[in-house]
Amino acid sequence: RANDGYGLWLDYQAIENPTAKSDLSRLYSGFYFFGQSPTYDVIRKELELSGEKMLGQSPVFTSERLAQTQVWLGTREELSQVLGLQQQTSIKELGEDGYWRGPIGFQGKTYYAIVGNRPISVLYGVFDWLRSIQTDSFDQTAEKSGSPKVKLRMLNHWDNLDRTVERGYAGFSIWDWHKLPGYVDPRYLDYARANASLGINAVSLTNVNANARILTTDFMKKAKVLADLFRPYGIKVFLTARFSAPIEIGGLKTADPLDSAIIDFWKKKTDEMYSFIPDFGGFLVKANSEGQPGPHEYGRNHAEGANMLADALAPHGGVLIWRAFVYSHELDEDRHKHANLEFEPLDGKFRDNVIIQVKNGAIDFMPREPFHPLFGAMPKTNLGMEFQITQEYLGQATQLVYLAPMWEEVLQSKTYRPTPSSTVAGVVDGSDSDQKLTLVAGVSNIGTDRNWTGHLMAQSNWYAFGRMAWNPDLSSGEIADEWVKMTFGKDPELAGKIKEILLDSREAAVNYMMPLGLHHIMGRDHHYGPGPWVTGGRADWTALYYHQADSLGIGFDRTASGSNALGQYAPEIQNAWSDPQEIPEKFLLWFHHLPWDFEMRSGRTLWEEIGLHYDSGVKSVRQMQETWASLEGKIDPARFDHVRQLLAIQEEEAEWWRNACLLYFQTFAKRPFPAEIEQPT
Ligand code: GCW
């Protein structure tokens, strides 16, 4: 059967190396569980699947005669009860999600053990072990331990109750609300396995542009089924709460967060939710943003809105996630500044169980943005990161763009606050901040398409998101390496070439779409393809607002002579970036309006440099195509052809972007294109 990509990175390629195979085969001949848990049943199933696929062998699970076993699985406590073992006490320090795996000597024999602080972390240890086998890095004599740096590692689905998906490019929502609670699609379990294999431990099922019906009893019963299925995989369910729900489903006249009837409504709703899902994660809220209802309607601020919901969740241990994606051009001329203006004054005013979820940049998931200036600016507030895995502004389902280099760039950015060496990763994972409740969220790219993500290669973005949420300091290169080997096999030449394609793809997209700090110049509403000419309606929805091209030059002056959004960053950044000679050129036009003949570091003019960037983006795509073509015969024809066809579309689209943007900007610059580029027509 043709490989349709359904198996994701859990497809478990057959092991060919005879020594590795016989070693592993021995291990698969005797698994021993020291305790019982529904999560151990999940592990058993994964061992069955992986044994069949990697070795053509069913694992043996024994319950007696320890001496005949090979692999031990259990929690630290379970192991020490049976064996009286006191080693591995350090595992305890790894926290509830931490695990240890390695050899244990007992009564003259060595066993391979995977030990966690609770059953879920044994599962994490098993997935880590399976990953090491698939990537050829398993050494049974070595010890390895792991634990996540972030507490909530979460997918945000923008899925509507009618199964359409906002900004979804992989079919419809996998949540079949119509058939729930009676019918359980087996796909739900494969979804849970995939997430658990990465350590993703929370999912918000519904769109942040929320429908209040999800909070009705009927829908709670449906959500309960999913929560029950996900529990053994360590995944908690969250739902989006529409702020005006008291009016829409509660028959009340207001949604004022300080009104006692409203407080009571949310308390009862929340209690009811917990009666169905005792470990319900909490609510995710988009309020007073893009027309969504919120506390402002009643003259209340974000903290008053968020805290009211947080108080309803607190007795149950629930978390309230409140988004900082708020903007207009009314509060300030520059939309960029809006979130800081509204949220910074509220620092320290949110309850302990509130997390403010902040997009990686201040505008909106652009191909490249400087990090959001809220990171580092609210030391007394839990700040979570929101990435977008779905490629709204990065080619949607037709383009291959590996997003991990972008996330890495953001996470490793220095904020210089709260300490001089702080980074975004350090703020978010709490190592540079005091925050206890930490969160990395990603807007899901999953849908009903057989291969889950529309573009097969977009599976790498789901994978990379999960890995980075677990450890924000992992590099995009090592993650690519893992994913490629797990998805396409370990042939070094093949793996090397696919990795090269992945790692070049994001810079290619930036170049042919929005190089040198250009942003928000895409097609209106659908956000597909170029639209630097977009005008009309709200100023901050036009393109001209962002690129500001005129006969003199191009770019948005956000320095002190302009909007001074730069003033929202730490002084170190302000100093360096306010100088067009010093700012990294990748952010040049984000912060500066410069003449077309401005001299770039290459010695070329700005106009020439823009042309070269657009053109090099197209050339990179052609290089990706060539590299892919060289893999013909080394990848199964189904997957080979899928990617080949999409790369051909991507080439056309890259040319479209280049030609459209350059021809449009030329109407202002009135200069010829650099001779060395393919001339746009
Ligand atoms: O990126 C924009 C999208 C909207 C989205 C919004 C948000 C859910 O175009 O579709 O709405 O951001 O993040 O709230």
Side-chain angles (χ1 to χ4, degrees):
R1 189 163 72 85
N3 190 331
D4 55 19
Y6 183 80
L8 295 163
W9 50 89
L10 298 175
D11 218 14
Y12 302 112
Q13 323 275 323
I15 308 236
E16 271 142 32
N17 175 315
T19 327
K21 192 170 174 181
S22 81
D23 284 354
L24 198 59
S25 179
R26 185 177 52 76
L27 294 179
Y28 268 70
S29 71
F31 288 102
Y32 185 88
F33 285 86
F34 281 73
Q36 283 179 4
S37 155
T39 298
Y40 295 164
D41 298 336
V42 164
I43 295 178
R44 277 190 200 93
K45 277 193 225 138
E46 205 62 30
L47 293 173
E48 267 157 23
L49 180 72
S50 57
E52 287 302 337
K53 298 200 86 168
M54 295 193 298
L55 306 164
Q57 169 186 342
S58 301
V60 178
F61 302 114
T62 48
S63 50
E64 307 142 55
R65 303 218 286 181
L66 203 58
Q68 289 190 354
T69 64
Q70 303 289 344
V71 179
W72 291 355
L73 299 137
T75 63
R76 194 182 135 270
E77 232 176 270
E78 286 161 356
L79 257 75
S80 59
Q81 269 166 20
V82 177
L83 304 170
L85 283 181
Q86 283 320 309
Q87 57 255 76
Q88 286 85 46
T89 40
S90 57
I91 306 174
K92 201 171 173 184
E93 284 138 38
L94 293 171
E96 59 168 16
D97 285 350
Y99 61 83
W100 175 96
R101 58 183 176 85
I104 293 186
F106 185 68
Q107 297 179 343
K109 191 181 160 188
T110 304
Y111 301 85
Y112 192 74
I114 304 177
V115 189
N117 282 320
R118 56 180 187 137
I120 297 300
S121 41
V122 183
L123 178 65
Y124 291 156
V126 168
F127 274 121
D128 184 59
W129 176 55
L130 291 170
R131 176 165 47 237
S132 76
I133 297 167
Q134 291 169 279
T135 54
D136 256 351
S137 57
F138 173 50
D139 171 1
Q140 49 177 307
T141 63
E143 299 185 31
K144 164 137 196 257
S145 57
S147 64
K149 291 193 178 173
V150 174
K151 205 167 155 72
L152 283 171
R153 309 170 295 274
M154 180 173 191
L155 285 184
N156 288 181
H157 289 263
W158 284 356
D159 294 15
N160 298 313
L161 302 185
D162 66 2
R163 299 193 79 175
T164 55
V165 180
E166 178 143 357
R167 311 303 176 186
Y169 314 103
F172 288 91
S173 169
I174 59 173
W175 317 129
D176 191 347
W177 296 109
H178 178 61
K179 295 202 200 81
L180 281 166
Y183 181 78
V184 175
D185 187 334
R187 193 164 191 164
Y188 300 148
L189 289 181
D190 286 322
Y191 165 87
R193 284 174 54 225
N195 281 336
S197 77
L198 305 171
I200 289 172
N201 65 352
V203 297
S204 170
L205 301 174
T206 46
N207 193 354
V208 289
N209 291 334
N211 184 330
R213 279 180 68 212
I214 189 68
L215 304 176
T216 58
T217 309
D218 282 350
F219 272 88
M220 286 186 193
K221 288 181 184 157
K222 296 169 191 273
K224 174 192 160 49
V225 172
L226 295 174
D228 289 344
L229 284 175
F230 297 163
R231 191 167 297 112
Y233 296 84
I235 299 167
K236 278 191 181 185
V237 162
F238 284 67
L239 293 171
T240 48
R242 186 166 163 86
F243 205 78
S244 53
I247 301 170
E248 286 144 8
I249 58 167
L252 294 162
K253 295 248 153 11
T254 172
D256 181 351
L258 301 192
D259 183 308
S260 62
I262 300 308
I263 296 171
D264 194 53
F265 167 88
W266 283 108
K267 193 187 161 321
K268 291 211 173 96
K269 259 296 146 215
T270 308
D271 291 348
E272 186 188 5
M273 187 66 80
Y274 279 89
S275 75
F276 289 106
I277 307 176
D279 55 355
F280 179 64
F283 297 123
L284 167 64
V285 182
K286 170 175 176 178
N288 292 123
S289 159
E290 299 186 328
Q292 293 299 307
H296 290 179
E297 276 86 286
Y298 311 98
R300 316 296 182 195
N301 64 31
H302 288 286
E304 287 164 320
N307 289 343
M308 180 271 295
L309 292 167
D311 288 343
L313 289 157
H316 305 280
V319 174
L320 192 270
I321 304 175
W322 190 270
R323 296 175 85 231
F325 180 63
V326 293
Y327 66 92
S328 74
H329 57 287
E330 281 123 27
L331 190 62
D332 188 274
E333 277 299 300
D334 186 359
R335 156 180 178 182
H336 196 296
K337 292 160 69 180
H338 194 117
N340 284 60
L341 289 173
E342 275 202 86
F343 280 86
E344 272 190 66
L346 300 175
D347 189 26
K349 301 222 159 69
F350 292 96
R351 299 281 193 265
D352 289 347
N353 63 332
V354 173
I355 304 176
I356 303 301
Q357 181 171 298
V358 184
K359 287 189 183 183
N360 57 267
I363 299 296
D364 192 4
F365 299 137
M366 294 291 109
R368 168 166 280 136
E369 293 199 34
F371 73 86
H372 200 302
L374 273 177
F375 293 111
M378 293 185 69
K380 289 181 281 204
T381 304
N382 299 316
L383 290 187
M385 171 62 80
E386 179 177 317
F387 287 129
Q388 193 182 45
I389 312 169
T390 191
Q391 291 167 237
E392 177 178 0
Y393 300 102
L394 282 135
Q396 302 186 357
T398 47
Q399 298 185 16
L400 187 170
V401 186
Y402 175 57
L403 301 174
M406 171 165 83
W407 302 332
E408 179 179 32
E409 180 178 289
V410 171
L411 289 164
Q412 297 312 319
S413 298
K414 286 187 84 168
T415 58
Y416 301 95
R417 303 183 295 200
T419 74
S421 61
S422 294
T423 59
V424 173
V427 170
V428 169
D429 72 20
S431 54
D432 286 333
S433 57
D434 289 335
Q435 66 181 68
K436 305 275 176 300
L437 200 48
T438 52
L439 162 76
V440 173
V443 179
S444 152
N445 62 347
I446 298 161
T448 49
D449 277 11
R450 186 67 195 156
N451 70 11
W452 302 87
T453 53
H455 199 308
L456 177 87
M457 302 296 264
Q459 294 180 355
S460 66
N461 291 327
W462 179 6
Y463 182 88
F465 167 77
R467 298 288 285 138
M468 281 192 167
W470 177 276
N471 179 1
D473 289 319
L474 283 179
S475 79
S476 54
E478 51 187 316
I479 297 173
D481 203 62
E482 289 172 7
W483 180 79
V484 169
K485 287 180 179 155
M486 292 170 82
T487 305
F488 290 102
K490 290 173 288 203
D491 168 1
E493 201 204 323
L494 177 85
K497 285 188 172 172
I498 302 179
K499 187 175 163 188
E500 187 185 301
I501 292 175
L502 290 181
L503 291 180
D504 290 345
S505 60
R506 187 271 182 141
E507 203 59 40
V510 170
N511 280 331
Y512 62 72
M513 290 178 179
M514 309 187 194
L516 296 169
L518 288 172
H519 53 287
H520 214 287
I521 55 171
M522 65 287 158
R524 187 174 210 130
D525 296 334
H526 51 73
H527 298 167
Y528 190 65
W533 47 81
V534 166
T535 51
R538 250 173 86 161
D540 55 351
W541 283 340
T542 66
L544 198 69
Y545 173 93
Y546 298 95
H547 64 66
Q548 313 231 343
D550 55 25
S551 63
L552 303 176
I554 185 169
F556 197 138
D557 184 1
R558 293 196 166 103
T559 67
S561 58
S563 79
N564 203 24
L566 192 50
Q568 293 182 328
Y569 289 89
E572 289 86 339
I573 294 179
Q574 292 179 37
N575 290 339
W577 294 4
S578 60
D579 180 351
Q581 309 292 347
E582 229 191 293
I583 187 171
E585 278 185 347
K586 60 185 180 185
F587 297 139
L588 190 65
L589 302 177
W590 192 283
F591 289 105
H592 294 274
H593 185 82
L594 296 167
W596 296 108
D597 290 328
F598 174 81
E599 192 183 324
M600 302 289 286
R601 270 153 243 179
S602 62
R604 295 190 194 94
T605 66
L606 171 60
W607 168 247
E608 290 167 334
E609 199 70 38
I610 291 175
L612 280 152
H613 274 269
Y614 272 105
D615 196 54
S616 92
V618 175
K619 290 184 174 136
S620 308
V621 175
R622 292 188 188 139
Q623 180 59 54
M624 284 155 61
Q625 283 182 290
E626 236 174 78
T627 310
W628 188 261
S630 76
L631 301 174
E632 183 159 18
K634 298 194 170 129
I635 298 173
D636 54 279
R639 290 190 297 176
F640 177 80
D641 210 49
H642 167 87
V643 175
R644 185 190 59 75
Q645 290 192 60
L646 289 171
L647 281 171
I649 300 177
Q650 186 166 358
E651 186 201 4
E652 276 175 25
E653 291 178 347
E655 286 176 8
W656 175 33
W657 268 97
R658 177 197 61 194
N659 295 353
C661 292
L662 288 181
L663 288 165
Y664 172 78
F665 290 134
Q666 193 184 42
T667 64
F668 299 95
K670 302 206 189 308
R671 284 158 173 77
F673 297 118
E676 61 264 56
I677 74 167
E678 201 174 275
Q679 300 293 296
T681 50

